[in-house]
Amino acid sequence: MVELSELAIDYLLPRRLSVSDPSGPCSVPPRLYSVPALAPFTARFERGKISTVIGPSGCGKTSLIHAIAGLLKPSSGRICIDGKAQQGIRKNTGVIFQHFGLLPWKTVEANVELPLKIMKAKKNERRERSKKLLGEFGLEEFRRLYPHKLSGGMKQRLAIARALISEPDLLLMDEPFSSLDALSREEAQDFLLSIKESHRLTIILITHSIEEAVYLSDTVYVITGKNPGKLTARIDLPRTGRDDSRFPELAGKLRNFFGA
C-alpha cells in the first residue's frame, strides 16, 4: 500500500536579473523563485489494485510519480510504502517512463537485463530471468534486435519487462501507452491487466485518457488546475469491459470534472 499525506511539490527556478550601467548591461547572480506544481495531496493506493491519476497537462501528475519513485524530493508531506517512510529509491519499485526510456545502443536482451546489471547480479541470473520474461512477453525471438527495429507495442512490452526483471511489487507508469495507436493501445491495456495478476502487482498509472482510466482502474484520482494541480476527487470504479453498458456513464462522470 502507498499512502501520501499532505504531499506538496514545488520547483525552484532561477530568475536572472540584468543591470544596465554606462559600460553596458551586466548580469547578476540569479535569484530563485518557487513555482508550485502540486498542492497538498493525500491519497491511499491499495495493494494489488490499479490506481490511476488523471488530469490535464501541467497539473503535476509526472511530478507525483517521480516523488513516489524516490526520484524527486517533495517540498512537504509524507510518502509511506507498506508502512515505511519513503527514503530515496526503493528496490521493489519499478518505473516505466512516458517514452519508455529504452537504450537504443543496447539489444532487447541487454535492455531487459540492465536493472540487474546495475544491481551487480551475476550473468547467469540475469540471463535466466531475462529469458523467462522475454518468453512471457513474446519477445524471445527478438532478443538480439535493437529497439529501433521494434514496433511501438513491442517497445512498450520491453519497457514493462525491464521494469519487472527486478521482481517489484509496485509498478509506477507515466502515460505508458500514449505513443501507441488505438489498436496497439487496447492490446497493451489488456496485457497490463494480465501481468498485474500474474506478477501480483500494485500499479499506479498516469494517463490523459478518460476511457483508459475507466477500463483499467479500481480507483481514479482526479487532479484539476495547474501550478498547482489540486486533487479534486477520488472515484472507486467497478471492473467493466469496453462493451459494458456502464462504461459510457462512468466515462461521462469523469469527463464532467474537466468540463468536457
Side-chain angles (χ1 to χ4, degrees), residues 43-248:
R44 175 181 292 184
F45 302 99
E46 301 291 344
R47 176 186 288 275
K49 304 292 186 181
I50 298 179
S51 299
T52 296
V53 180
I54 188 169
S57 296
C59 72
K61 302 185 303 296
T62 294
S63 297
L64 177 65
I65 281 286
H66 287 179
I68 297 172
L71 301 173
L72 173 67
K73 185 177 179 179
S75 306
S76 61
R78 183 178 175 88
I79 303 172
C80 288
I81 302 178
D82 292 338
K84 297 180 180 179
Q86 172 74 304
Q87 299 289 338
I89 296 173
R90 177 176 175 266
K91 179 181 177 182
N92 292 327
T93 297
V95 184
I96 298 176
F97 298 103
Q98 185 172 351
H99 299 293
F100 309 141
L102 302 174
L103 302 183
W105 61 89
K106 287 188 175 292
T107 64
V108 166
E109 185 175 64
N111 265 285
V112 171
E113 293 180 2
L114 184 61
L116 294 184
K117 190 169 184 178
I118 292 172
M119 295 164 62
K120 301 189 184 304
K122 293 182 179 180
K123 184 176 181 179
N124 288 344
E125 180 185 359
R126 299 200 310 264
R127 199 54 42 87
E128 181 179 348
R129 286 204 210 175
S130 66
K131 184 177 181 179
K132 180 180 178 181
L133 277 174
L134 291 175
E136 179 184 353
F137 286 25
L139 296 171
E140 170 66 18
E141 63 182 292
F142 307 104
R143 67 187 187 279
R144 302 297 185 195
L145 297 184
Y146 291 87
H148 73 276
K149 294 287 188 179
L150 305 180
S151 68
M154 293 167 70
K155 290 177 183 176
Q156 207 282 329
R157 294 202 303 274
L158 175 57
I160 295 177
R162 186 177 64 182
L164 295 185
I165 196 166
S166 58
E167 300 179 343
D169 54 18
L170 173 63
L171 183 61
L172 308 176
M173 309 181 76
D174 185 7
E175 298 190 53
F177 310 129
S178 61
S179 64
L180 303 181
D181 62 72
L183 291 178
S184 296
R185 189 166 188 151
E186 288 190 359
E187 289 179 4
Q189 292 166 355
D190 292 336
F191 183 68
L192 179 65
L193 290 175
S194 70
I195 65 164
K196 177 252 183 184
E197 296 299 331
S198 61
H199 289 265
R200 299 180 179 180
L201 293 166
T202 299
I203 298 174
I204 302 175
L205 182 144
I206 299 297
T207 185
H208 280 108
S209 170
I210 289 171
E211 287 73 19
E212 184 167 87
V214 172
Y215 182 63
L216 292 175
S217 307
D218 297 290
T219 302
V220 177
Y221 288 91
V222 178
I223 301 179
T224 56
K226 57 178 65 177
N227 301 125
K230 298 178 180 179
L231 175 61
T232 301
R234 167 184 164 146
I235 303 172
D236 295 318
L237 298 176
R239 178 63 63 196
T240 57
R242 296 185 183 92
D243 298 326
D244 193 299
S245 60
R246 296 170 294 174
F247 195 94

Side-chain angles (χ1 to χ4, degrees), residues 1-16:
M1 179 189 299
V2 180
E3 296 178 282
L4 310 181
S5 179
E6 293 295 305
L7 186 78
I9 298 172
D10 298 328
Y11 287 99
L12 291 176
L13 301 179
R15 180 191 287 120
R16 183 171 290 279

Side-chain angles (χ1 to χ4, degrees), residues 19-37:
V19 179
S20 296
D21 62 26
S23 62
C26 63
S27 295
V28 299
R31 295 180 181 178
L32 298 179
Y33 66 102
S34 178
V35 176

